Amino acid sequence: MEWTRGDLLGLEELDRAEIEMILDTAASFKEISSRPVKKVPTLRGRTIVLFFFEPSTRTRSSFELAAKRLSADSLNISTSTSALSKGETIKDTLRNIEAMQVDIIVIRHSSSGIPWALSRLVAPAIINAGDGCHEHPTQALLDMFTIKEKLGKIEGVNVTILGDIAHSRVARSNIWGLRKMGANVTVCGPRTLLPRDIEKMGVIVTDNLKDGLKNADVVNVLRIQRERQKAGLLPSLREYAQRFGISSEKLRQFARKDLLIMHPGPTNPGVEITPEVAESKTSVILEQVTNGVAVRMAVLYLVAQARDETKEEE
Ligand code: ASP
């Protein structure tokens, strides 16, 4: 199979073979980050712009390291330091960036759908680093990579996504990706944070933590997205922690001993997960972060290669 997409916008539009190709490519890139000299010349001379309209630590630094480890030049632009704060529109800003001959734009924005709109507007490759509550494809890819690395497969694995499903782009991208890869997905959380019709995405739905955990091989614990919530969806964070927060005690009662604990970060310690569980033996939260660099190297490489091939054919 050959990778042909010149952008990575979301997982809803990818097929299983494409997801497998990204995961396999990431596996071959992972070793580079453990070398004393963490650099290969693969994307030498390419320019990658990281354009983040929302706060980010992990995703932005992970993309930047991925670009640097492939020898690309990278440039960071954020809302507060760009002319957007002077009233320029995002379209004008991106047109100007395009005029500087960049190759790839990695974008995060609070509005769903922005990466799709921009990919039709400008020539550089667009990679979605999170659009509103919609998709966060590289997060779901690194989550799947971690599951495969830890459990040897994704097909048939029982994954429970726990918490604020309604506002989570991580949940949506994971559901699309995991279902295509043959995993069984359960979503669990308070009714007010479970979108209506979510079962249409092919998942089991429950608002009972015990049911959510009983068959799970993996639990992906989500952050409560306070910045995206309307008032009144949660009685209080304390009550949420009591009913849905993952603690050692609840794991002892409801889950298998070797349940794999994942979290996309940043965590709200003591709300959705206790620090003890986040740092426990079966938590792979930091391994997810390590794998994120390899997955983003794979995505940058595949997208750049597809663009080169299209240019050669023209
Ligand atoms: N870092 C992830 C995101 O940007 C998860 C989160 O913020 O809760 O969506």
Side-chain angles (χ1 to χ4, degrees), residues 108 136 169-170 223 225 264-266:
R108 166 169 290 188
H136 192 348
R169 52 195 177 205
V170 176
R223 181 176 66 88
Q225 309 263 312

Side-chain angles (χ1 to χ4, degrees), residues 58-246:
R58 267 158 293 268
T59 307
R60 200 189 46 70
S61 43
S62 180
F63 267 113
E64 188 168 354
L65 284 176
K68 290 196 153 79
R69 288 181 187 170
L70 293 172
S71 304
D73 297 310
S74 63
L75 181 74
N76 269 290
I77 303 178
S78 65
T79 335
S80 54
T81 54
S82 74
L84 285 159
S85 61
K86 299 182 188 165
E88 187 179 45
T89 65
I90 174 169
K91 184 170 137 193
D92 286 338
T93 309
L94 282 204
R95 284 241 163 97
N96 279 274
I97 291 174
E98 179 185 23
M100 293 181 223
Q101 312 289 335
V102 312
D103 300 290
I104 299 178
I105 298 174
V106 178
I107 184 156
R108 166 169 290 188
H109 199 279
S110 57
S111 295
S112 301
I114 287 272
W116 282 260
L118 294 177
S119 71
R120 288 190 289 269
L121 210 71
V122 294
I126 300 285
I127 296 178
N128 182 1
D131 64 316
C133 303
H134 181 222
E135 281 236 33
H136 192 348
T138 56
Q139 177 69 46
L141 288 163
L142 75 88
D143 292 344
M144 289 190 280
F145 184 94
T146 308
I147 293 173
K148 192 170 173 202
E149 191 175 64
K150 287 285 153 192
L151 304 182
K153 59 176 185 170
I154 301 174
E155 173 99 49
V157 169
N158 297 329
V159 181
T160 295
I161 306 175
L162 174 67
D164 185 359
I165 312 293
H167 301 93
S168 175
R169 52 195 177 205
V170 176
R172 262 171 212 81
S173 287
N174 261 283
I175 295 171
W176 274 310
L178 286 165
R179 292 297 297 130
K180 284 176 195 190
M181 296 298 290
N184 308 310
V185 181
T186 298
V187 295
C188 175
R191 280 279 146 199
T192 48
L193 298 180
L194 293 169
R196 212 179 303 149
D197 289 344
I198 185 92
E199 9 334 79
K200 291 195 179 138
M201 293 180 81
V203 297
I204 299 167
V205 185
T206 176
D207 63 355
N208 180 308
L209 186 64
K210 185 173 170 194
D211 291 340
L213 292 184
K214 71 175 180 230
N215 295 320
D217 302 306
V218 178
V219 63
N220 198 344
V221 186
L222 302 175
R223 181 176 66 88
I224 295 288
Q225 309 263 312
R226 277 181 275 186
E227 74 278 24
R228 295 188 215 286
Q229 284 190 5
K230 288 191 217 79
L233 290 177
L234 275 181
S236 72
L237 287 181
R238 211 164 130 242
E239 190 177 329
Y240 180 83
Q242 271 165 7
R243 276 189 65 201
F244 294 98
I246 293 289

